Amino acid sequence: MKLITAIIRPDKLNDVLEGLFEIDVHGLTITRCLGHGGELESVETYRGMTVKMELTEKVKIEIGVSDPFVEKTVDAIVQSGRTGAVGDGKVFVTPVSDVVRIRTGERNQDAVTPTSYPVSAAF
Amino acid sequence: MKLITAIIRPDKLNDVLEGLFEIDVHGLTITRCLGHGGELESVETYRGMTVKMELTEKVKIEIGVSDPFVEKTVDAIVQSGRTGAVGDGKVFVTPVSDVVRIRTGERNQDAVTPTSYPVSAAF
Amino acid sequence: MKLITAIIRPDKLNDVLEGLFEIDVHGLTITRCLGHGGELESVETYRGMTVKMELTEKVKIEIGVSDPFVEKTVDAIVQSGRTGAVGDGKVFVTPVSDVVRIRTGERNQDAVTPTSYPVSAAF
Amino acid sequence: MEDATTALVATDTAWLMVACAMVLLMTPALAFFYGGLVRRKNALNTMMMSFASLGAVGVVWAVVGYSLAFAPGNNFIGGLDYAFLRGVGLEAEGTIPHLLFFAFQGTFAIITAALISGAIAERMRFEAYLAFITLWVVAVYAPVCHWVWGGGWLHQMGALDFAGGTVVHVNAGIAAVVAALVVGPRRDHGRQAMLPHHVPFVLLGTGLLWFGWFGFNAGSALAADATAALAFVNTLVAPAAALVAWMILDRVFTGRVTAVGAATGIVIGLVAVTPAAGFVSPMSAIVLGALATGPSYWAIMRRSRSRLDDSLEVAAAHGLGGLTGALLTGVFATAAWGGVDGAIAGDWRQLGVQTLAVIAALVYSGGATFVLLRAIGAVLPLRVEDGQERVGLDVPFHGEQAYVDGDGALLTIPRPIEGRRLELRGPQPVSTATVQVSDI
Amino acid sequence: MEDATTALVATDTAWLMVACAMVLLMTPALAFFYGGLVRRKNALNTMMMSFASLGAVGVVWAVVGYSLAFAPGNNFIGGLDYAFLRGVGLEAEGTIPHLLFFAFQGTFAIITAALISGAIAERMRFEAYLAFITLWVVAVYAPVCHWVWGGGWLHQMGALDFAGGTVVHVNAGIAAVVAALVVGPRRDHGRQAMLPHHVPFVLLGTGLLWFGWFGFNAGSALAADATAALAFVNTLVAPAAALVAWMILDRVFTGRVTAVGAATGIVIGLVAVTPAAGFVSPMSAIVLGALATGPSYWAIMRRSRSRLDDSLEVAAAHGLGGLTGALLTGVFATAAWGGVDGAIAGDWRQLGVQTLAVIAALVYSGGATFVLLRAIGAVLPLRVEDGQERVGLDVPFHGEQAYVDGDGALLTIPRPIEGRRLELRGPQPVSTATVQVSDI
Amino acid sequence: MEDATTALVATDTAWLMVACAMVLLMTPALAFFYGGLVRRKNALNTMMMSFASLGAVGVVWAVVGYSLAFAPGNNFIGGLDYAFLRGVGLEAEGTIPHLLFFAFQGTFAIITAALISGAIAERMRFEAYLAFITLWVVAVYAPVCHWVWGGGWLHQMGALDFAGGTVVHVNAGIAAVVAALVVGPRRDHGRQAMLPHHVPFVLLGTGLLWFGWFGFNAGSALAADATAALAFVNTLVAPAAALVAWMILDRVFTGRVTAVGAATGIVIGLVAVTPAAGFVSPMSAIVLGALATGPSYWAIMRRSRSRLDDSLEVAAAHGLGGLTGALLTGVFATAAWGGVDGAIAGDWRQLGVQTLAVIAALVYSGGATFVLLRAIGAVLPLRVEDGQERVGLDVPFHGEQAYVDGDGALLTIPRPIEGRRLELRGPQPVSTATVQVSDI
Ligand SMILES: Nc1ncnc2c1ncn2[C@@H]1O[C@H](COP(=O)(O)OP(=O)(O)O)[C@@H](O)[C@H]1O
Ligand SMILES: Nc1ncnc2c1ncn2[C@@H]1O[C@H](COP(=O)(O)OP(=O)(O)O)[C@@H](O)[C@H]1O
Ligand SMILES: Nc1ncnc2c1ncn2[C@@H]1O[C@H](COP(=O)(O)OP(=O)(O)O)[C@@H](O)[C@H]1O
């Protein structure tokens, strides 16, 4: 069980979502955030004050996946989120020791493996 | 030492907070986020454009707890955050290798175990 | 490889950023969030309704660093983010099993060690 | 209304056009006042309740409302002579074109109906609301308006209502209470803190309301004369005094001068001076504005702890404010300033008449609103479903959100990539492997 | 324009000042209407396109635009007698000071130019846009205005355009189509859902537009007379009817009454009644307002699926709305209400004239706008770079964001801490260790 | 002020009512202009500083301010004859009701006081601010107003100030500088970038200010005559020119046309034309508007690097803009356009008088404001505590936030669940185990 955390460009979000849906990753959580990296920061001016904006808008995607699917998921993100310019972002994979579904209380792999994914409900 | 990350419904947030306060969990951080899961997405219309909103509003709660309290905390979240309908969310438990309190620089278990919780200050 | 997650005060953000830039940490992601801890909650009033705001505004910083730099980074955050009053926040260090740079697809330590940091571009 | 032999006066026409435009602006202003007070997820629904009144009430007023209020009729209701604006043309009605008088009165009907929406915000079905306000203007507003301004029985008894303390505010206020009771409280009422999502919008609404209210009160003189100027000045000083009084009350009782409170204070000052505007001296208006905050402040502090979920305080602000204003008109009015002598000038009779007018409005409007809502409720559900209330009314009823980032919004019109996705999404065998991933 | 021997009338002066201020307010209102409809990252750019028109067009109108439209000239264009406001003073023009007439017309030019910006929102370079509207007012607006209102050939043929259905709305609408085609669609058009980032701003803009439109239409009577009152009342009832019609269409076709739709409906009602305001009865205005929603509704539903990226529906709302209104003026006008007899009153000739006027505006404005944009495009790039479009136009062109938290914003003026940082940041040897950290 | 024998003129009454309503709207507009410029955490406090002026100054103006400014008195201050509006009725003052004149002047006092709040935004205690503006209107505004408009010494010397360049803008501008110095800079001044949290609100405020300013300037003619029309037209063209000039300056010096800059440019154009509006030709107004941007642009660019934390540039925009306008009035005024001949018309004397008037206002207002603030500071702390400044003034002083989600907001009135929680929260033995969890 792993948690994949990807930082991507906001304007690539819909592409990444489609990339993930295509490989049938449907459980995910996203958060708006700001990032600093190798990108050129933008300069803004307000009434004589010149300001360097060190942070650029980004989106964070968090996806919990079972181990065998980590590769596939990371690949999907990397492919659909790439523009080739500095600032495309990073993917971090971190270990997860436990997962619980709040609705049912199901835990861990148990909570995950046997249930059949409700295709119709998901769309 | 574990980090518990729960994704819940925004309208259950206050219930979950109360549930956590009751078992004396008082340190936590929450973030507004958007989730995609088994929920039916909503359809919106803007001037002839029909749009499927694939993401629903969620709230993420992050709580660092010492190992013996993981169970209790997860249970509290599951119980107070449940509605029974698809979309209640997930709880992820991830390992933490180190914790520091910025105010004092205290570290790790050391930073955690001996200090007495200032009940009056907290409320 | 570790992921450092720090919760700090919003008004210390710029100080912390400068502290990090000084030790040449340039890759990071921040998110606005709300925290509950030992701080006194504020009371607000709306037309006869008295409300306790249990959450205070905070900022979360996430930084992926290679193992030898964890200490240095945590120290920088602790020093630049401290005010000494309750509510300064916490730093969590969590293990990372894999890192990928979306732009290039480079992975892991490989993706990290050899590339020379483009100093001029970054500023 | 009878004397149509007078001639048009250009100045009065100009002034009434301006006043009418100002009153029209009050309904969008109300949309912001109310919209800022609700939670984000209901912002558009709340604003649309005001905006929809511009359409629904605007049209029904032309069709039949105006006629029932102002066409020759009996003591209780006007006739149908003016239905579909028959016979309403550019000839003088007083000193302004009859059509302009119709329009000016129409903007009053529009905002009165919209006022009620504050009581049932965040939970009433939009269709039921539309049906309600349309019928309410015909069945409740038009008759009460006829009583007081259209030559009906209260008019004949000499009730003073310069610009609508009774017709507009008491009328809407009691209807609001009834509507809140019939529709029932929000599911979170008394359990969760439901906070204003956008206080600057409340202030914006307040600023525009005050601006428009000059047209409302001073325009009600129906001429650009000294009476209009008096009403105008009173509309400046009374809310100023009410604002000061409210800030003091707030500071004393909660320790802090809230912005929502300041907005509320201004509105209450405006409401209270409405019936009195052309009848009292400015110093009386200052006192009246300050005094009127008392009952409303008390009511708002109590209401939030009660079971009555008059969500945006229509009853306390408009109902009670209008009532206080109407009664104080009977106290402060003097013949010297254009009214008749009231209690302070030594004649208590006027106070009696004012009280009667208020009671009549309370009883009739309360009763008729109840019957109307029950009747509509028998045909259409009045109330949204629980799930809709939970996610907010904006998406289920309007298919929109007030503030959108566009994250995760996918176009559903056919296009290359969409075609590919649609195909993926038909029912298909699902391997357990796939399931593992997506089903965590 | 010729008869300057009449005397000033104070009432008309007062009314026109008010009307002119109201029309001026429409341009900021448009900024909010448009600004709310775009994505957050382009909010300021979109608003600035309207605000900039207040400056650029305001000045060019005084310098030469007014003269070309209204100075004595030939059938197609005015002369230069009034350039730099020479000879435009406080003497009476009709019954109001000539300068006031100039100002009133100026506010029309300003908003007409600003209307076009909706078609090229989110992708046109700001400098190119400024050049475009400045020249457009001189080369397109002034002549068309001269034809219809300045004594030109359409005026002589008897075309009816009370307040600008053809001059303002058809004119801006076709220019919008051409501009959208020449500048090209946004890169995300048809691929991504581009949602309005702030619907309450759209409603705010709508409310203020409606308010201002009373000045626009009723002010166009140029006097505070019965005609003004008629135009005024029609400006109240037509949009009310259009709003109701739009809500019904929305409910029937999409199942939900959208707020953006309601705003659009109101604007279309206002647009459609503009040419007719002083010529038709209020009941006709109600019908006209309701009818006009049909074509525009249909066009908006189709447009979003087409390749034409008229981003904020200028053509469908203003172009088509104005066209429908102009033609329906030929249908509903009657001599009894101040116009000439139209089709319903039995005379089809006026409909022919109206059609001709619309066609003339379409052809000339379309063609001239095309030439103008091509000419500007030969000198300046019309379109932003791809990267700028991706991050939004606010930061690259205005150096600002609409809504800012200030996170990560560092002052760059010299100060102690900054000095320290600057020194850090010069080129310096980078150890691999450092690299390891920062380069993850 | 002396001649009260003239008769009421209905047209002037109508126009002044409208103008007064428009000026009133400027104060809420200012609330948005200023509110958008501050950081989110101080948005309500900043807005409330303007709104509170509507109450506090509105009332004190009726009680004593008006009398000190306009009642018969000596050369330096009016008497107390009109205190509590004694003797201020509906009789004619000029051609309008005396009360209406009082109200019109009241709206000027209200906004002048509110203007100052921009200089001490984000750090002054609300109570101290309320005390300050209330006393300032009595001790500073009323006398200066008396000098220029109430028959005082500057009036007698022939100083020209059509609508308040000196009385309103120079006066508020210098008071702003003094207030910023006495209260001291914000703790983050010069250390952190403090960015406008909501630029669209700045634009909204600007649009509404411009609209209201027509009432401010053209209303100051106190009649609907040709002078009013001239002032009106100048209020259209001068800010248009200033906007163009500012956009050019911005483009040249920072490379980008900022929206905050555009808003600032418009306001400076409006400020600068205020003293000149009824005295100069429109072409002069265009030049004046454009010229006036120079000094203010320069001052704003310098100020942000200085130690003077005049946070929202009151001095640069209003003080300097008003000063430039007042002096240029002495340059551009001509007898032909209703003023007296100024420098360009060959008479330099008027420029001397203008300079003297400005200096007098600077000296008196600066000095008296200083004394006043020191006096208040001796009784009440002027400045918020450091911690309050850090978290923002909205919660500590108003108990509210501008934009709320409601996350983590718990009701504190007694209710079942609350009861349970309260009991939990009393002092109780805390096991270390508990501590482990909660104390990470
Ligand atoms: N070490 C890091 N830890 C956390 N987030 C990072 C890190 N490095 C980069 N990021 C995130 O990824 C974004 C893009 O990184 P950047 O270095 O600019 O581009 P690239 O990955 O294309 O080299 C940053 O804006 C930031 O949000
Ligand atoms: N694999 C996952 N990784 C991260 N977040 C998830 C994942 N699955 C679900 N979520 C989050 O949990 C929310 C609810 O999940 P969903 O599958 O809709 O409901 P349920 O848990 O009731 O089956 C989602 O909106 C999303 O935010
Ligand atoms: N156990 C925890 N898990 C997650 N976040 C925490 C935890 N404890 C504290 N925080 C975050 O740190 C912030 C400050 O913590 P607090 O206990 O108030 O202050 P201090 O660290 O100075 O004792 C909180 O507002 C919260 O956002």
Side-chain angles (χ1 to χ4, degrees), chain A residues 11 44-45 50 52 54 90, chain E residues 390 399 401 408 410 412 440:
Chain A
D11 48 303
E44 305 188 359
T45 341
T50 308
K52 267 203 299 215
E54 300 280 358
K90 302 281 187 289
Chain E
R390 229 166 10 88
Q401 299 174 62
L410 301 183
T412 60
I440 293 188

Side-chain angles (χ1 to χ4, degrees), chain A residues 21-122:
Chain A
F21 294 163
E22 255 171 74
I23 59 158
D24 274 323
V25 171
H26 294 285
L28 50 85
T29 301
I30 78 143
T31 318
R32 283 260 164 187
C33 54
L34 299 167
H36 180 90
E39 286 191 278
L40 279 172
E41 74 270 343
S42 60
V43 173
E44 305 188 359
T45 341
Y46 294 88
R47 286 186 156 185
M49 204 163 50
T50 308
V51 161
K52 267 203 299 215
M53 301 304 269
E54 300 280 358
L55 302 171
T56 341
E57 293 199 7
K58 300 283 165 192
V59 168
K60 178 162 68 184
I61 311 187
E62 282 159 308
I63 317 170
V65 293
S66 54
D67 293 335
F69 285 83
V70 171
E71 276 309 289
K72 215 170 142 180
T73 307
V74 171
D75 286 351
I77 295 172
V78 169
Q79 265 149 45
S80 55
R82 181 183 295 170
T83 70
V86 174
D88 279 352
K90 302 281 187 289
V91 183
F92 298 95
V93 181
T94 51
V96 171
S97 49
D98 212 350
V99 187
V100 188
R101 183 200 297 276
I102 294 176
R103 174 162 52 93
T104 56
E106 290 165 279
R107 289 194 171 226
N108 242 342
Q109 300 295 88
D110 279 6
V112 171
T113 336
T115 332
S116 128
Y117 184 75
V119 173
S120 57

Side-chain angles (χ1 to χ4, degrees), chain D residues 98-124:
Chain D
H98 193 175
L99 268 173
L100 186 55
F101 179 76
F102 146 79
F104 187 64
Q105 292 296 337
T107 55
F108 279 59
I110 287 168
I111 191 158
T112 308
L115 280 175
I116 308 172
S117 68
I120 46 74
E122 307 199 300
R123 62 195 183 281
M124 189 167 181

Side-chain angles (χ1 to χ4, degrees), chain F residues 107-357:
Chain F
T107 55
F108 279 59
I110 288 169
I111 190 157
T112 306
L115 280 174
I116 308 172
S117 68
I120 46 75
E122 308 198 301
R123 63 193 180 283
M124 189 168 183
R125 287 174 63 84
F126 193 64
E127 289 82 1
Y129 168 79
L130 285 183
F132 169 60
I133 56 166
T134 309
L135 296 174
W136 188 85
V137 161
V138 175
V140 183
Y141 182 81
V144 175
C145 180
H146 182 77
W147 300 351
V148 181
W149 291 335
W153 66 282
L154 286 171
H155 180 109
Q156 285 161 24
M157 290 186 54
L160 292 180
D161 191 3
F162 192 75
T166 303
V167 178
V168 173
H169 296 289
V170 171
N171 196 353
I174 185 70
V177 173
V178 172
L181 289 172
V182 173
V183 177
R186 289 166 293 179
R187 55 194 292 282
D188 291 340
H189 178 64
R191 297 192 325 110
Q192 297 263 349
M194 294 178 285
L195 305 182
H197 88 288
H198 204 306
V199 181
F201 277 173
V202 180
L203 293 174
L204 176 63
T206 306
L208 292 174
L209 279 172
W210 196 341
F211 173 72
W213 223 295
F214 287 114
F216 197 92
N217 285 356
S220 289
L222 297 175
D225 54 13
T227 304
L230 177 63
F232 188 98
V233 174
N234 285 341
T235 308
L236 177 66
V237 294
L243 170 56
V244 170
W246 196 279
M247 292 200 291
I248 292 171
L249 289 171
D250 236 8
R251 187 71 174 76
V252 169
F253 288 104
T254 77
R256 290 181 288 191
V257 178
T258 63
V260 171
T264 310
I266 290 172
V267 168
I268 287 166
L270 288 162
V271 168
V273 85
T274 295
F279 304 132
V280 304
S281 77
M283 281 315 294
S284 298
I286 288 180
V287 176
L288 184 152
L291 283 183
T293 55
S296 295
Y297 191 87
W298 174 83
I300 287 181
M301 292 302 130
R302 294 296 312 244
R303 212 278 306 150
S304 62
R305 268 150 243 193
S306 80
R307 270 148 196 281
L308 173 66
D309 188 16
D310 172 9
S311 315
L312 310 182
E313 309 289 359
V314 186
H318 295 274
L320 204 51
L323 187 150
T324 314
L327 298 187
L328 289 181
T329 303
V331 174
F332 287 113
T334 57
W337 287 93
V340 304
D341 279 333
I344 283 189
D347 189 343
W348 290 80
R349 219 182 37 96
Q350 188 61 35
L351 188 55
V353 177
Q354 297 297 105
T355 312
L356 183 67

Side-chain angles (χ1 to χ4, degrees), chain C residues 11 14 32 42 44-46 49-55 57 90 92, chain F residues 40 192 390 395 399-401 404 407-412 421 425 440:
Chain C
D11 48 303
N14 284 358
R32 282 261 164 187
S42 59
E44 305 188 0
T45 342
Y46 295 89
M49 204 162 52
T50 308
V51 161
K52 269 204 298 219
M53 302 306 270
E54 301 278 359
L55 302 170
E57 293 199 6
K90 301 280 186 289
F92 299 96
Chain F
R40 188 160 48 99
Q192 297 263 349
R390 222 159 23 80
V395 175
E400 292 164 308
Q401 298 174 63
V404 191
D407 289 342
L410 302 183
L411 275 180
T412 59
R421 293 191 50 230
R425 306 202 147 198
I440 296 189

Side-chain angles (χ1 to χ4, degrees), chain B residues 27-29 62 64 101 103, chain C residues 7 35-38 58 87-90, chain F residues 440:
Chain B
L28 49 84
T29 301
E62 282 160 308
R101 184 199 296 274
R103 173 162 51 93
Chain C
I7 319 285
H36 181 89
K58 300 283 165 190
D88 278 352
K90 301 280 186 289
Chain F
I440 296 189

